[in-house]
Amino acid sequence: MILCILQARMSSSRLPNKVLKPILGEPMLWRQLERVSKVKSIDKIVIATSKDKSDDIIESTFSGSPYQVFRGSLDDVLDRYYCASQKYHADHILRLTGDCPLIDPNVIEQLIEFYLANGFDYVCNTEVPTFPDGQDAWIFKKALLEEAWRESKLPSEREHVTMFFRNNLDKYTTGSFENKIDLSKHRWTVDEPEDFLKVEAIFKSLYPSNKEFTVQDILKFLNDNPDIDQLNESFLRDEGLIKSLKNDF
């Protein structure tokens, strides 16, 4: 069983409450889930949020929706994932983050196919960045998550679910899912107000006529609208991870 665990919280330091900011009348997180739900290989989608009071609104917002809400540790995200995987009896875990509302279901589907066809323990499309920032996905066997949960000691390994795998690549059979064309310069994630403005503009332009717009559709729109494309070009990729790694020492 492939369990998609999508981590989300309200207490983002750079853009608080971003996951519920409205896009075309629905929370940003709903827009992402709407896209992820098109991935046929996924058996169940779970929103993994924290037990912190600030995240009560995430649970209430998605109560009665097709998506399960699991609540765990705020800071130990690895523990949150492990406990969710135990509850829902996963064989494989697809990890997604709630700051990627433009993620393309086709990218996820192809990543899963690559993982299963080659019998890898762990596959991601971020180790060698070739997709736009905001198309990030990771998939791994439940046994790896259990090992990481038992052995991870560094703060970055507890906060960033797959960091233990990255630190121990020689222990596993791993695959890097890469795009044919390097599109890593593009930033479609949402961490800053400018990121949100860009994503909102993309949805407003593409969604009404094509709810399942793709990476190629976005690229064409941004090529035709360079002013929108440049809204967030000053920000670095993986700023949150860089900050977290500094806290290990």
Side-chain angles (χ1 to χ4, degrees), residues 38-96:
K38 304 299 181 184
V39 182
K40 295 179 181 178
S41 297
I42 295 173
D43 296 298
K44 183 181 287 293
I45 300 173
V46 172
I47 304 165
T49 192
S50 85
K51 295 178 180 178
D52 191 82
K53 186 172 179 58
S54 64
D55 289 323
D56 289 353
I57 190 170
I58 292 180
E59 182 174 24
S60 62
T61 297
F62 290 93
S63 176
S65 78
Y67 312 108
Q68 303 288 319
V69 177
F70 179 86
R71 302 188 68 172
S73 171
L74 174 62
D75 298 316
D76 190 344
V77 187
L78 179 59
D79 183 72
R80 199 193 310 171
Y81 266 74
Y82 174 73
C83 293
S85 73
Q86 290 288 92
K87 179 175 180 178
Y88 295 102
H89 309 292
D91 299 306
H92 311 277
I93 296 95
L94 175 75
R95 177 198 177 207
L96 300 176

Side-chain angles (χ1 to χ4, degrees), residues 7-23:
Q7 65 191 71
R9 62 187 174 96
M10 296 295 286
S11 53
S12 169
S13 59
R14 284 172 285 173
L15 187 57
N17 307 326
K18 65 183 180 184
V19 297
L20 296 188
K21 285 178 70 67
I23 297 177

Side-chain angles (χ1 to χ4, degrees), residues 18-217:
K18 65 183 180 184
V19 297
L20 296 188
K21 285 178 70 67
I23 297 177
L24 296 176
E26 295 289 352
M28 187 180 83
L29 185 57
W30 179 269
R31 292 299 179 202
Q32 181 171 352
L33 288 161
E34 187 177 38
R35 293 172 68 77
V36 175
S37 67
K38 304 299 181 184
V39 182
K40 295 179 181 178
S41 297
I42 295 173
D43 296 298
K44 183 181 287 293
I45 300 173
V46 172
I47 304 165
T49 192
S50 85
K51 295 178 180 178
D52 191 82
K53 186 172 179 58
S54 64
D55 289 323
D56 289 353
I57 190 170
I58 292 180
E59 182 174 24
S60 62
T61 297
F62 290 93
S63 176
S65 78
Y67 312 108
Q68 303 288 319
V69 177
F70 179 86
R71 302 188 68 172
S73 171
L74 174 62
D75 298 316
D76 190 344
V77 187
L78 179 59
D79 183 72
R80 199 193 310 171
Y81 266 74
Y82 174 73
C83 293
S85 73
Q86 290 288 92
K87 179 175 180 178
Y88 295 102
H89 309 292
D91 299 306
H92 311 277
I93 296 95
L94 175 75
R95 177 198 177 207
L96 300 176
T97 58
D99 52 7
C100 299
L102 293 173
I103 195 159
D104 189 333
N106 298 303
V107 171
I108 300 174
E109 194 74 73
Q110 291 165 20
L111 179 141
I112 294 173
E113 289 174 4
F114 177 68
Y115 165 78
L116 293 175
N118 291 281
F120 289 120
D121 295 323
Y122 166 59
V123 165
C124 70
N125 63 358
T126 59
E127 195 67 33
V128 180
T130 56
F131 287 91
D133 190 2
Q135 296 293 314
D136 306 353
W138 305 258
I139 187 167
F140 41 88
K141 293 178 180 177
K142 169 72 175 301
L144 270 71
L145 182 63
E146 291 177 341
E147 183 175 359
W149 178 75
R150 289 195 308 269
E151 299 187 14
S152 292
K153 299 294 188 292
L154 295 173
S156 64
E157 292 177 340
R158 306 306 302 190
E159 180 183 357
H160 299 276
V161 176
T162 60
M163 184 55 64
F164 181 82
F165 309 153
R166 292 182 64 184
N167 291 341
N168 296 275
L169 289 177
D170 58 323
K171 298 178 65 174
Y172 311 114
T173 58
T174 63
S176 176
F177 182 64
E178 299 172 25
N179 198 30
K180 293 178 181 178
I181 302 171
D182 185 0
L183 300 173
S184 59
K185 69 176 183 179
H186 294 280
R187 180 181 172 91
W188 302 348
T189 190
V190 178
D191 284 319
E192 307 284 351
E194 293 87 347
D195 294 331
F196 182 81
L197 291 174
K198 182 175 183 174
V199 166
E200 184 181 38
I202 292 168
F203 267 98
K204 285 182 175 179
S205 177
L206 299 180
Y207 184 89
S209 61
N210 179 14
K211 291 181 171 57
E212 298 181 27
F213 60 88
T214 66
V215 165
Q216 292 304 317
D217 295 322

